[in-house]
Amino acid sequence: MLNQTVEARLEASCGLAADHPVMALWRRNDIINRAEAGSELAVLDPAEPGAFPAPTRAALAARMARECGSDALAGEYGSLASQGTADDENIAHGSPLDWIVDTGLRAAARHCDLLTLNPTGATRSDIEALREAGFSDADIVALSELIAFVNYHVRCIEGLRLIAEAGK
Amino acid sequence: MSVVHDFTTDVLTWNPYVEPVDLDAATQSQRAAMGVTAATRSVSVYTRVLAHDAQTLQSRTPLFNAIMYGKEGLSRGDRELGAIGASIYNGCVYCTSVHARFYQQFGAVPDIIETIFAAGTEAKLPEREQAIFDFSVKLSHTPPSATPDDVRRLKSVGLSEAEIVDLVRAAALFGWANRLMHTLGEPQRG
């Protein structure tokens, strides 16, 4: 499903060419390069997807990237979600939660919104709500990692863009 | 045991809201992701929670170690200050306690942790530390609110572009870590 590499997606999202000098600084550590690519694959298209098939993961990622103001990354993830369901489409486009028909997906999207927009406000009751929606502990941890990774990645992209902009 | 809501450098315990993976029942890939060997006696509760998603943990551990503890680039203390800026903004009491202790060990400026705990994201710090802290806090906003001027300010206090790249990753990494540690469990004392 990940039909382009994490590298190409990053370049498209921050608007920098692969040979931009800041990109060379960004990619100067191979351990980090490999681990970032491995993390993105693990949250977006894992070998064992559990409750969240790849198009749903991409849709949730697109929703969160949009909430973080990264329309370019949202577009990249959104294109990965295009094989998904009507719910996936609503999730990816940032539609209101009550447009999402599946109650489990609605709970998952709600958790994405909460942790992206107001992580400080998360409590035990938010994990209990996911359990009540039918998710296992493994699903809850996988969803949390997806949320956490996207929030990391958008800040990397924004930081890169700012460094390049400041150097002009 | 009581739940801790205020920032502290005390050594806290972390009580998860989900059941950690049992070492005896862990799959091969979970054991590998946790770094379990024949000599392993115990693994932290946090790592056992993350082992529910072994594939992510397998990449996350080397990424975390390289960003925070890598030998080249930005100093360890400055990376810790980036981690603290994010953790204070995101309200992660546990992450803050660990990395505040690391700052006291590796950082260059005394009393900085006390100042940050007293004033939070509004803390008034020496010029260099202020630039690092403010950038990390602003990058943690949703959407991030850091500007090119914040990057120029980092340059003006002596950071190279390579060091600013390292700071971006350290602060962003805690946008990740805080969203696990603060949301999958709670810090306790006693």
Side-chain angles (χ1 to χ4, degrees):
Chain A
M1 185 199 82
L2 293 179
N3 52 1
Q4 62 170 326
T5 63
V6 60
E7 287 86 4
R9 197 162 21 254
L10 183 79
E11 285 148 18
S13 301
C14 65
L16 300 181
D19 61 356
H20 192 286
V22 175
M23 207 54 99
L25 293 176
W26 187 258
R27 301 219 164 110
R28 73 192 197 279
N29 183 327
D30 266 340
I31 294 173
I32 290 180
N33 296 340
R34 277 198 302 275
E36 278 178 348
S39 298
E40 192 184 47
L41 181 67
V43 297
L44 281 180
D45 193 13
E48 295 171 32
F52 304 106
T56 299
R57 288 168 180 261
L60 292 167
R63 182 181 185 89
M64 292 185 280
R66 202 177 304 282
E67 287 166 346
C68 292
S70 183
D71 288 348
L73 184 64
E76 296 287 327
Y77 286 150
S79 69
L80 299 177
S82 59
Q83 303 300 312
T85 63
D87 271 349
D88 289 338
E89 198 165 309
N90 273 321
I91 289 169
H93 289 159
S95 303
L97 291 174
D98 57 12
W99 291 19
I100 302 166
V101 176
D102 183 272
T103 53
L105 284 183
R106 195 187 309 146
R110 179 195 168 276
H111 201 65
C112 289
D113 291 356
L114 174 69
L115 265 55
T116 298
L117 298 169
N118 178 26
T120 313
T123 67
R124 181 191 293 271
S125 66
D126 298 303
I127 298 299
E128 282 164 3
L130 291 172
R131 210 174 271 130
E132 279 161 25
F135 295 114
S136 67
D137 282 0
D139 293 329
I140 291 169
V141 172
L143 178 66
S144 304
E145 289 278 23
L146 171 66
I147 295 168
F149 174 83
V150 172
N151 274 278
Y152 165 78
H153 200 48
V154 292
R155 288 171 175 83
C156 288
I157 289 166
E158 180 64 3
L160 254 172
R161 198 186 66 76
L162 292 172
I163 295 169
E165 188 73 27
K168 276 183 185 167
Chain B
M1 301 282 267
S2 61
V3 178
V4 181
H5 297 289
D6 296 324
F7 294 120
T8 176
T9 54
D10 293 352
V11 176
L12 306 174
T13 55
W14 186 76
N15 180 39
Y17 302 145
V18 299
E19 199 60 42
V21 169
D22 181 349
L23 275 192
D24 293 331
T27 65
Q28 202 64 37
S29 58
Q30 286 173 332
R31 292 174 69 84
M34 289 187 282
V36 172
T37 67
T40 304
R41 288 169 192 275
S42 70
V43 173
S44 77
V45 168
Y46 180 57
T47 300
R48 289 197 288 126
V49 165
L50 299 188
H52 279 296
D53 183 349
Q55 190 179 340
T56 303
L57 181 59
Q58 187 81 50
S59 285
R60 186 187 179 279
T61 304
L63 183 61
F64 191 98
N65 290 342
I67 291 174
M68 291 309 291
Y69 315 134
K71 291 211 170 18
E72 287 166 19
L74 188 65
S75 76
R76 173 72 188 277
D78 290 342
R79 295 181 211 197
E80 296 295 348
L81 190 53
I84 291 165
S87 301
I88 291 274
Y89 177 73
N90 289 326
C92 186
V93 169
Y94 190 93
C95 291
T96 301
S97 72
V98 171
H99 293 278
R101 291 197 301 274
F102 280 143
Y103 187 84
Q104 289 174 331
Q105 190 178 347
F106 296 102
V109 182
D111 302 332
I112 235 172
I113 298 302
E114 293 76 2
T115 306
I116 292 172
F117 283 3
T121 57
E122 301 301 313
K124 296 286 171 268
L125 306 174
E127 190 182 9
R128 187 172 181 285
E129 285 65 35
Q130 188 84 64
I132 293 171
F133 183 72
D134 288 353
F135 177 79
S136 305
V137 169
K138 288 181 177 180
L139 196 65
S140 301
H141 293 169
T142 302
S145 68
T147 66
D149 277 345
D150 293 312
V151 173
R152 292 186 192 104
R153 192 169 157 215
L154 289 168
K155 288 182 177 175
S156 76
V157 298
L159 270 68
S160 68
E161 281 194 340
E163 289 173 323
I164 299 170
V165 159
D166 296 346
L167 178 62
V168 165
R169 276 208 174 94
L173 184 64
F174 280 77
W176 182 335
N178 298 158
R179 282 177 175 81
L180 298 175
M181 200 125 217
H182 178 71
T183 71
L184 288 170
E186 62 193 1
Q188 293 189 338
R189 184 182 278 124

